[in-house]
Amino acid sequence: MSKIHFQEKFEERHIGPSADETTAMLDALGLQNLDQLVDETVPVQIRAKPPLALPNALGETAYLNRMKVVADKNKAFKSYIGQGYYDVILPGVIQRNVFENPGWYTQYTPYQAEIAQGRLQALLNFQTMVIDLTGMEIANASLLDEATAAAEAMFMQYGLRKNKAANAYFVSSTIFPQTLDVLRTRALSYGIELLVGNLNDIPQEANIFGALVQYPAGDGTVQDYKTVVELLHARDISVCAVADLLSLVLLTPPGEWGADVVVGSTQRFGIPMGFGGPHAAYFATKEAYKRNIPGRIIGVTVDATGGYALRMALQTREQHIRRDKASSNICTAQALLAIMAGFYAVYHGQKGLLNIAERTHGLAVLLDDALQQLGYTQLNETYFDTLRIELGELAGPLHAEALNNEVNLYYQGTIAGISVDETTTYQDIEILVRIFAKIKGKTATDVDLAAIAAAIHPHIPPSLQRASEYLTHPIFNSYHAEHEMLRYIKSLETKDLSLCHSMIPLGSCTMKLNATTEMIPITWPEFGSLHPFAPADQTGGYMQIISELDQWLSEITGFAKVSFQPNSGAQGEYAGLMVIRAYHESRGDMHRDVVLIPASAHGTNPASASMAGMKVVVVKCDERGNIDVADLQAKAEIHAGNLSALMVTYPSTHGVFEEPIIEICDIIHQHGGQVYMDGANMNAQVGLTSPGLIGADVCHLNLHKTFCIPHGGGGPGMGPIGVAAHLVPFLPNHQVVDVSGEQGISAVSAAPWGSASILLISHAYIAMMGAEGLTNATKYAILNANYIKARLENHYPVLYAGANGRCAHEMILDCRSFKTAGVEVGDIAKRLMDYGFHAPTVSFPVAGTLMVEPTESESKAELDRFCDALIAIREEIAAIEDGRSDKVDNLLKRAPHTVAMVSADVWDKPYPRSQAAFPLPFVREHKFWPSVGRVNDSQGDRVLICACPPMSAYEELEA
Ligand SMILES: *Cc1c(COP(=O)(O)O)cnc(C)c1O
């Protein structure tokens, strides 16, 4: 018998190459072992010495067993807390086929539209649903959460203000505290003055440019804002409404009473509370402001054959290239959750939603009437779902009795708030009545609930009862039977290429394995149904996960503490810069506002810096792609008096561990600045070096890159920030839940720990990999990249490498020379689809190039298929170069090829069909068909259509 292994090793599942494959790959690189490669790649002066201090790796079964115990420490009481988070019923058909389905959650952001039509359609459904319910003209495809969406609205209103001297924003005092908290943070960084007060006495000063109201208001009342809005408009003040989407089924939509922007959460559309997230926020506005909308917009266009096709609209012109001029820093949003919310509306349709909203409202009225019969005072005359009961001296006893019955209400002084939701039943109302009766010394039999139920009247003012139609499109009226829904979801899923099909080698995005075991606990009710403001003694499980993850990520980054508030990398950048700003100010350095950013930085870096109210100064890169240290030194000196920070990505976006990184950080510190490290490339660092070791002060971690949260087709993500000890006191706080020290900046997200439920994924990854596994993952990420480099460098020039000719975990393939043959880098991206692959990152950080990042999770077999495809494409380019293929009518220019094209009765191309669709033998075995031909980008931008077009439009297209 050979040696017995007592424990399954998850590491062997996570890392792609087998032992034999590893040997073959090392041979190809002329290396004896992995450590030799690491020595040639990672500069010795920044190498970590002792191994990471992490608990021993757990096998998959052992981990899930441990998590069962942790889950038991969460107490899922019945929640009536409300405040923006409500219990929901996630339809099983959506849970299993979307939420728990790698065919939906492992997709990349839909930049390659031809292989992303499924999720583009699902997101278009989401936009249509938002447009219909809010009564607005245009909507985007999700933002991070309600509070940041409100902040984005404020900034858009600011940008569009007529009077450029106006800098005050009026906020109605009845908004949720977490929304106000995030508005405060943003207002501070933009220099906007926030005026919080009663809508009936908005100051007359001329400096107000915008106003924000909540609908229904934070206290639950439903108010008619029409007259106020007219008065405000007469003063050139634009109005944003934060609206509860479910309530809009019954209420006159804000678009009909004059709102200029409407934002809010779509959590109530089937997305579990998850202790704060992830949930998709929505953003809707007028057509006139389409160029100022933050986030992504999905639009309708045509493909090469003139057929219906979808794509992300206004991308290049409005968003990417604008860096610090960008309308926002949103990159990762909440695509998966928006897709689910859209499906929820598709499944329920107008009638189903009406049913849910009426039931919710009806049960609230039932409870209201019953409590009044018991002698309670209910403060809200109008409401959708929320009651406020004045308890006086009964407040204490009621709180205790509610807890005895495992019921959470929202307590403020002597008032108890009760928000009814989709899950509330008649029996739940009986329980609440019993609780309230008991502390008055009465019994439930003192109220005749059945009689009350028989005579219910709505508590929505007649002027605000919705009359207009919504969700009339056939998409929302065709899939209410589960079989129809199941097939609709599948039909969209099969249009999309995901990690279920092949590697997605996206440089800088780290599309690694999202292991099934890592996903499993997320849908356990102990984690899904917790309200973020639930009492601390009910959230022990989450507290344990968050504290362990804090320790582990602190160890991995070499920092003192981690804040889990930011919901994306870009939000982490913003949070980190605001922390740096607070640190400078605490030392009396109010004026430090210059941020140095290398030319090669990701667009979110300058966008976040400008959002944080800072001035961006660009630092040059030399011809080898590295930061020009002399230029950095010069700029640090020039700006020494006002230097706030350097933002640096490490290893660089060029895929190189720059040798002088310690010197670079020293220069910044010597001139009074702080170093912000963009952690998107942490996958090349974990266990080998760390932000702390290179001398950074703050970094964000894209948990949806390095730490296995799936990309979800463009979110959710998490961008926690780690900081050195001197910055710990300034980490973000939260109005409702205390999560930081006294000097903490105000909140950057709605929820205290951001999208807490997906922290489970990163927790699982670290717990199952352990120190050795994580370090091996990094080594393999570097091995896989260098193996691809070795296989491809005779076919494509590889830009930039380290001192020993090695790349880090990614590399840039130069495609600029093919232009002489008329081939653009985009043509290669499209042709890769015919081979069954998603393109690498196109034209970032260098225009005309491809950035390839294989990650550790891909086997040699898959890397070889990918390299074979690129080598074959290089041959196809060569054929054009030397005139064997036509310059226009060729395999690249006509790519991708669809079933319809290849099976058409007429074939008029100068190359055979088989070469179009099955260019290599492996493609035949597992063919992925792009569902549309090449999409027309400019057509889509010229005529912007961002809601489901009427059926007649489809017929026109077919004709
Ligand atoms: C992905 C990425 C970001 C932005 O992160 P999000 O989570 O998408 O907001 C920032 N910088 C770099 C280098 C990245 O690759």
Side-chain angles (χ1 to χ4, degrees):
M1 215 165 113
S2 57
K3 208 174 103 207
I4 301 176
H5 294 281
F6 287 101
Q7 214 202 341
E8 296 280 343
K9 269 183 134 182
F10 170 70
E11 177 190 336
E12 291 169 1
R13 305 288 184 195
H14 177 83
I15 294 176
S18 64
D20 290 347
E21 286 183 331
T22 306
T23 311
M25 290 160 75
L26 288 168
D27 277 353
L29 294 172
L31 293 164
Q32 303 297 315
N33 54 48
L34 261 180
D35 287 332
Q36 204 186 337
L37 172 63
V38 173
D39 290 342
E40 290 183 11
T41 310
V42 187
V44 62
Q45 62 274 24
I46 58 164
R47 288 288 297 278
K49 295 280 158 9
L52 292 169
L54 294 172
N56 289 336
L58 291 174
E60 294 176 67
T61 313
Y63 178 75
L64 288 179
N65 287 339
R66 177 171 187 259
M67 287 304 282
K68 284 269 180 230
V69 179
V70 177
D72 275 344
K73 298 181 191 167
N74 285 336
K75 305 281 169 247
F77 283 17
K78 183 81 195 150
S79 170
Y80 298 97
I81 299 173
Q83 299 292 302
Y85 302 93
Y86 308 86
D87 208 356
V88 295
I89 299 170
L90 167 57
V93 66
I94 299 176
Q95 173 167 334
R96 176 145 303 175
N97 297 292
V98 184
F99 202 26
E100 299 177 335
N101 177 356
W104 280 101
Y105 66 65
T106 67
Q107 302 154 338
Y108 182 62
T109 309
Y111 285 108
Q112 297 297 333
E114 296 83 357
I115 50 175
Q117 291 294 303
R119 60 193 179 281
L120 286 165
Q121 180 63 55
L123 290 169
L124 192 75
N125 297 351
F126 172 85
Q127 290 176 180
T128 308
M129 161 189 99
V130 170
I131 289 170
D132 279 11
L133 286 169
T134 57
M136 301 302 285
E137 291 165 350
I138 185 169
N140 77 5
S142 83
L143 289 177
L144 294 171
D145 60 28
E146 177 165 298
T148 52
E152 296 287 347
M154 172 176 74
F155 186 54
M156 190 181 92
Q157 290 170 269
Y158 183 61
L160 290 167
R161 69 200 187 283
K162 292 219 178 82
N163 170 6
K164 293 294 167 198
N167 77 330
Y169 194 65
F170 182 86
V171 181
S172 158
S173 52
T174 62
I175 64 164
F176 290 145
Q178 68 271 22
T179 309
L180 183 58
D181 205 2
V182 172
L183 284 172
R184 274 193 206 294
T185 315
R186 277 297 179 90
L188 176 76
S189 55
Y190 294 137
I192 293 172
E193 185 193 353
L194 223 52
L195 307 171
V196 184
N198 188 321
L199 267 184
N200 296 323
D201 35 55
I202 300 180
Q204 282 308 314
E205 286 114 79
N207 68 338
I208 301 177
F209 66 84
L212 180 140
V213 298
Q214 189 171 317
Y215 183 68
D219 59 12
T221 56
V222 180
Q223 290 162 33
D224 196 337
Y225 297 122
K226 196 167 182 172
T227 325
V228 178
V229 170
E230 277 164 13
L231 289 172
L232 291 170
H233 280 170
R235 292 170 58 191
D236 275 344
I237 297 173
S238 61
V239 179
C240 169
V242 181
D244 175 289
L245 210 57
L246 184 63
S247 75
L248 298 185
V249 168
L250 299 184
L251 302 179
T252 304
E256 290 173 27
W257 47 254
D260 301 283
V261 197
V262 189
V263 301
S265 170
T266 61
Q267 184 261 319
R268 294 191 101 161
F269 283 53
I271 317 299
M273 288 189 280
F275 203 43
H279 315 129
Y282 70 85
F283 188 106
T285 186
K286 298 179 171 169
E287 174 93 29
Y289 307 142
K290 65 186 177 197
R291 303 207 178 273
N292 306 84
I293 297 178
R296 306 189 168 110
I297 306 169
I298 308 309
V300 180
T301 186
V302 292
D303 77 350
T305 63
Y308 172 84
L310 301 169
R311 59 186 273 283
M312 294 199 290
L314 306 175
Q315 276 293 303
T316 33
R317 244 181 322 161
E318 312 304 324
Q319 298 178 0
H320 274 322
I321 47 174
R322 297 176 61 188
R323 295 169 62 96
D324 46 327
K325 306 271 179 323
S327 51
S328 89
N329 69 342
I330 300 293
C331 180
T332 291
Q334 302 283 18
L336 184 70
L337 299 314
I339 287 168
M340 288 170 60
F343 277 142
Y344 179 93
V346 167
Y347 193 40
H348 286 297
Q350 184 266 336
K351 281 206 192 76
L353 288 185
L354 183 64
N355 213 356
I356 292 166
E358 283 185 339
R359 189 173 76 222
T360 303
H361 183 56
L363 289 174
V365 177
L366 177 66
L367 181 63
D368 182 9
D369 292 354
L371 296 186
Q372 297 208 33
Q373 267 195 25
L374 285 171
Y376 285 95
T377 311
Q378 199 282 108
L379 302 173
N380 288 350
E381 232 170 87
T382 60
Y383 52 83
F384 165 61
D385 62 2
T386 299
L387 309 176
R388 283 160 74 238
I389 319 293
E390 173 58 65
L391 292 164
E393 53 214 32
L394 291 180
L398 182 94
H399 194 157
E401 183 58 18
L403 287 176
N404 278 342
N405 286 276
E406 308 207 331
V407 162
N408 289 330
L409 308 180
Y410 185 66
Y411 302 97
Q412 275 181 306
T414 58
I415 298 173
I418 308 176
S419 292
V420 172
D421 61 47
E422 181 190 5
T423 67
T424 311
T425 61
Y426 189 84
Q427 289 71 31
D428 290 325
I429 301 297
E430 288 178 330
I431 293 171
L432 286 169
V433 169
R434 213 165 54 224
I435 294 169
F436 277 87
K438 183 165 177 193
I439 57 155
K440 276 232 168 172
K442 300 186 178 176
T443 68
T445 48
D446 290 327
V447 221
D448 186 350
L449 216 48
I452 300 174
I456 284 198
H457 295 290
H459 280 242
I460 295 166
S463 68
L464 291 176
Q465 292 179 12
R466 180 165 191 143
S468 52
E469 290 199 288
Y470 52 93
L471 305 188
T472 52
H473 194 277
I475 285 182
F476 299 102
N477 293 284
S478 308
Y479 310 109
H480 303 160
E482 183 167 332
H483 246 156
E484 289 296 330
M485 186 66 192
L486 174 66
R487 290 168 191 160
Y488 181 59
I489 292 174
K490 273 289 160 197
S491 74
L492 296 187
E493 181 193 332
T494 53
K495 294 182 176 180
D496 288 11
L497 187 133
S498 70
L499 286 176
C500 300
H501 302 98
S502 52
M503 69 187 285
I504 301 184
L506 260 142
S508 204
C509 294
T510 316
M511 301 290 289
K512 57 167 67 174
L513 172 77
N514 315 118
T516 313
T517 300
E518 292 159 1
M519 302 296 147
I520 284 177
I522 292 183
T523 38
W524 290 352
E526 294 91 332
F527 291 114
S529 62
L530 249 63
H531 192 291
F533 306 159
D537 59 1
Q538 296 171 21
T539 64
Y542 264 118
M543 288 301 107
Q544 181 178 340
I545 299 291
I546 289 167
S547 124
E548 286 176 355
L549 197 56
D550 180 359
Q551 286 168 38
W552 300 347
L553 293 175
S554 295
E555 170 69 12
I556 287 168
T557 53
F559 281 144
K561 189 161 178 57
V562 170
S563 162
F564 289 101
Q565 229 177 68
N567 280 320
S568 72
Q571 292 301 87
E573 294 167 16
Y574 173 70
L577 291 172
M578 292 304 284
V579 164
I580 289 174
R581 177 182 164 134
Y583 165 78
H584 284 315
E585 289 183 355
S586 77
R587 297 158 44 101
D589 285 345
M590 311 301 184
H591 51 282
R592 290 196 173 272
D593 65 351
V594 170
V595 182
L596 303 183
I597 301 182
S600 62
H602 193 270
T604 56
N605 289 188
S608 301
S610 86
M611 255 173 64
M614 301 192 179
K615 297 194 184 83
V616 176
V617 172
V618 177
V619 178
K620 283 188 209 145
C621 289
D622 64 22
E623 71 288 351
R624 294 183 52 231
N626 297 325
I627 293 180
D628 180 336
V629 180
D631 189 54
L632 177 88
Q633 175 87 41
K635 289 189 169 139
E637 275 165 26
I638 296 170
H639 298 285
N642 295 323
L643 187 61
S644 178
L646 164 76
M647 293 184 89
V648 58
T649 306
Y650 200 75
S652 72
T653 50
H654 293 147
V656 177
F657 285 98
E658 287 167 78
E659 299 273 339
I661 186 67
I662 292 184
E663 186 192 340
I664 288 171
C665 295
D666 282 347
I667 292 173
I668 298 304
H669 288 140
Q670 281 156 17
H671 294 88
Q674 294 281 291
V675 176
Y676 183 97
M677 196 201 86
D678 178 329
N681 289 346
M682 262 314 275
N683 212 41
Q685 287 198 34
V686 179
L688 299 181
T689 181
S690 74
L693 268 178
I694 67 168
D697 304 287
V698 197
C699 82
H700 75 252
L701 299 170
N702 303 69
L703 297 188
H704 47 297
K705 296 180 181 173
T706 314
F707 295 94
C708 295
I709 293 176
H711 251 65
M718 272 293 278
I721 52 171
V723 295
H726 63 284
L727 296 177
V728 172
F730 306 98
L731 286 174
N733 211 331
H734 190 274
Q735 272 297 309
V736 185
V737 184
D738 195 1
V739 289
S740 179
E742 300 227 315
Q743 288 167 283
I745 61 167
S746 46
V748 297
S749 297
W753 297 277
S755 300
S757 64
I758 52 174
L759 293 176
L760 292 164
I761 301 167
S762 302
H763 182 270
Y765 174 59
I766 298 173
M768 297 193 297
M769 291 291 273
E772 200 191 11
L774 288 173
T775 310
N776 283 340
T778 313
K779 293 177 184 176
Y780 271 92
I782 296 173
L783 173 66
N784 280 1
N786 278 284
Y787 176 72
I788 292 187
K789 177 169 176 284
R791 276 212 62 194
L792 291 181
E793 61 195 348
N794 291 335
H795 307 274
Y796 295 84
V798 174
L799 287 181
Y800 318 121
N804 298 307
R806 302 294 181 195
C807 62
H809 65 310
E810 62 192 9
M811 84 222 67
I812 296 177
L813 306 179
D814 194 351
C815 303
R816 290 171 294 193
S817 70
F818 311 143
K819 277 195 175 148
T820 48
V823 174
E824 302 288 333
V825 64
D827 299 322
I828 301 175
K830 302 304 171 193
R831 181 60 179 149
L832 266 170
M833 295 173 186
D834 289 332
Y835 286 81
F837 286 106
H838 191 291
T841 301
V842 177
S843 287
F844 170 76
V846 182
T849 66
L850 293 171
M851 179 160 55
V852 181
E853 178 182 2
T855 85
E856 70 279 10
S857 300
E858 300 303 339
S859 67
K860 175 173 178 293
E862 180 71 356
L863 300 179
D864 280 335
R865 282 188 287 269
F866 175 68
C867 292
D868 291 345
L870 273 177
I871 292 167
I873 292 174
R874 182 66 189 89
E875 278 305 306
E876 293 169 3
I877 297 171
I880 307 169
E881 285 170 337
D882 42 66
R884 281 175 287 141
S885 293
D886 187 79
K887 248 192 140 168
V888 180
D889 213 0
N890 60 52
L891 288 158
L892 281 106
K893 286 285 170 201
R894 297 288 177 225
H897 297 84
T898 63
V899 174
M901 288 159 76
V902 174
S903 65
D905 293 334
V906 184
W907 178 258
D908 57 1
K909 307 276 183 286
Y911 46 87
R913 291 171 147 123
S914 57
Q915 214 189 334
F918 305 106
L920 285 175
F922 75 80
V923 182
R924 264 188 201 280
E925 282 168 37
H926 182 48
K927 174 70 185 171
F928 180 86
W929 289 102
S931 62
V932 297
R934 195 171 305 191
V935 301
N936 185 329
D937 287 324
S938 55
Q939 159 85 15
D941 279 352
R942 262 197 320 275
V943 188
L944 186 67
I945 303 169
C946 64
C948 299
M951 292 315 279
S952 54
Y954 292 70
E955 283 147 22
E956 265 164 46
L957 280 171
E958 314 277 277

